[in-house]
Amino acid sequence: MERVDEEFEALFSRYEEPICSYLARMTGDLPRAQELAQETFLRAYRAMARGETWENPRAWLYRVASRLAANDHRRRKLLQWVPLGDRDPAPGPSPAEATAARLDFQAALNRLPPRYRAPLLLAAVADYRVAEIADILGLGSSAVKMRLSRAREMLRRAYDEGR
């Protein structure tokens, strides 16, 4: 059991922050994201204790986190999202204009169904490739490409309509 504890500690140390950040963007609620991250790692620990191993533990963790977020969304039926990045707005627009643009973008992102938001966030924020997103979400690569394409178009339309 000591080996499992050491392996789990290494897994947790490496992925806790990115998983929590991803879930915070998925839920728009940091305390809820922390709860979901805790559940993700609890499931990982239990699986490791049963002797499970993964070829790609990062993908396994994101898959579990994505499913937990989707289940949470189904329960709540209202999901708030945060902007795609924590970057400061580019110099030029006034703070009021930058805030308005960010709110417009967030509102447009909120209009996307979760099945399109998740791959978009994984690609744009976590910088995953299509194959990795497919592995995380349990989809084929062509389905991920289609969802990304549709998500980008839906986001463009929603943003243009909201301005």
Side-chain angles (χ1 to χ4, degrees):
M1 198 61 151
E2 188 175 313
R3 179 189 61 79
V4 170
D5 290 344
E6 290 173 8
E7 289 177 9
F8 175 76
E9 178 139 349
L11 185 77
F12 182 82
S13 295
R14 184 168 182 189
Y15 296 112
E16 186 268 337
E17 187 176 321
I19 292 291
C20 195
S21 176
Y22 170 70
L23 287 167
R25 287 181 172 93
M26 288 292 290
T27 64
D29 179 356
L30 182 58
R32 185 67 190 137
Q34 290 169 332
E35 291 173 17
L36 293 173
Q38 183 178 13
E39 178 64 24
T40 299
F41 284 100
L42 179 61
R43 289 181 184 197
Y45 183 81
R46 287 178 179 158
M48 292 171 83
R50 288 190 308 267
E52 287 184 36
T53 59
W54 311 285
E55 188 173 313
N56 186 344
R58 180 176 87 158
W60 188 90
L61 289 169
Y62 274 95
R63 184 179 312 115
V64 170
S66 294
R67 288 180 182 156
L68 288 171
N71 290 340
D72 187 63
H73 171 67
R74 277 188 216 87
R75 281 191 297 275
R76 292 172 185 253
K77 290 294 180 189
L78 176 62
L79 194 59
Q80 295 179 347
W81 294 85
V82 295
L84 283 179
D86 297 325
R87 301 176 194 111
D88 292 327
S94 72
E97 290 170 332
T99 300
R102 228 175 222 236
L103 290 174
D104 288 345
F105 184 80
Q106 182 174 344
L109 188 59
N110 287 344
R111 287 191 208 91
L112 294 181
R115 65 188 245 148
Y116 294 106
R117 285 183 215 163
L120 187 62
L121 287 170
L122 287 168
V125 176
D127 201 30
Y128 282 104
R129 295 183 318 247
V130 169
E132 293 171 315
I133 295 169
D135 191 33
I136 289 166
L137 297 178
L139 300 169
S141 291
S142 60
V144 170
K145 289 176 186 177
M146 181 60 71
R147 286 188 186 184
L148 284 170
S149 175
R150 288 180 180 168
R152 289 177 184 121
E153 182 57 34
M154 291 166 75
L155 186 59
R156 272 187 218 104
R157 273 186 274 145
Y159 185 75
D160 288 344
E161 289 170 6
R163 292 170 71 193

